[in-house]
Amino acid sequence: MRKPLRLVATATVLVAAAAFPAATLAVNAHLKGKNPVLFVDNGLTLTATASYAGLGNFDTLQNVSASAQPTSNCANPSGANQPPGHNPAAVTVTGSTAVPAGAIKNGNVSIATTTNPPVTPIPGAPDCPNPQWTESITDMAFTSATITLFQDSNGNGTFEPGELVLTVNCTFSSPTSNGPVPTSGVTCTTA
């Protein structure tokens, strides 16, 4: 009599699991592949593409924050002269990409995020002869990037801070120049 009861209990659990599939939390979120993070310097923005494994089946948000040394030009009020500006202070730019749960296949997904461009012209033209000039950022040489990955396990679309599943900190051995960033010049650590 015990065997049929155990069989019925096991069958009930399997039927319940099939009827109410529960998404699993990312218990082992990690980067996937030989070169899991690729970067492209687009001039004023940075694109980061990361490949992940071990994710749960939840809506996901990738944030990228990148630091760069900008290059700028100054133009006098007539616009006729454009001597190079001094090197402005380092700038941080950010971007985000949301990925629906349905795009995650067996815990795997690749996400590309492009940062927003910096504010230009720079208000007040601090690196030009006076505030009547216009200072415009013409290029960004990126020095580092941080990628944070969130999963919305409560399903309310808020990506609460407690739902951070992975942080990837990357540094570039030398500041980037326009185009793909060589993987040999990128060092990343995860937390």
Side-chain angles (χ1 to χ4, degrees), residues 62-136:
Q62 176 174 278
N63 293 330
V64 175
S65 174
S67 296
Q69 183 60 50
T71 300
S72 69
N73 281 333
C74 293
N76 66 21
S78 71
N81 297 325
Q82 293 193 349
H86 295 85
N87 290 334
V91 173
T92 298
V93 290
T94 61
S96 297
T97 301
V99 176
I104 298 170
K105 303 298 181 201
N106 297 320
N108 299 293
V109 70
S110 289
I111 305 172
T113 300
T114 300
T115 64
N116 294 308
V119 173
T120 189
I122 299 172
D127 301 298
C128 297
N130 67 56
Q132 274 60 49
W133 288 55
T134 301
E135 182 178 10
S136 299

Side-chain angles (χ1 to χ4, degrees), residues 11-159:
T12 302
V13 170
L14 291 175
V15 168
F20 305 103
T24 58
L25 279 174
V27 293
N28 188 22
H30 59 277
L31 295 173
K32 177 184 175 185
K34 182 178 177 185
N35 294 310
V37 183
L38 300 173
F39 293 98
V40 177
D41 178 336
N42 306 304
L44 295 179
T45 63
L46 182 71
T47 299
T49 303
S51 296
Y52 301 101
L55 299 178
N57 189 27
F58 298 107
D59 290 342
T60 301
L61 179 69
Q62 176 174 278
N63 293 330
V64 175
S65 174
S67 296
Q69 183 60 50
T71 300
S72 69
N73 281 333
C74 293
N76 66 21
S78 71
N81 297 325
Q82 293 193 349
H86 295 85
N87 290 334
V91 173
T92 298
V93 290
T94 61
S96 297
T97 301
V99 176
I104 298 170
K105 303 298 181 201
N106 297 320
N108 299 293
V109 70
S110 289
I111 305 172
T113 300
T114 300
T115 64
N116 294 308
V119 173
T120 189
I122 299 172
D127 301 298
C128 297
N130 67 56
Q132 274 60 49
W133 288 55
T134 301
E135 182 178 10
S136 299
I137 295 175
T138 58
D139 192 35
M140 300 270 281
F142 293 93
T143 56
S144 65
T146 298
I147 302 168
T148 49
L149 189 70
F150 295 86
Q151 288 208 292
D152 184 20
S153 62
N154 61 20
N156 66 8
T158 62
F159 297 100

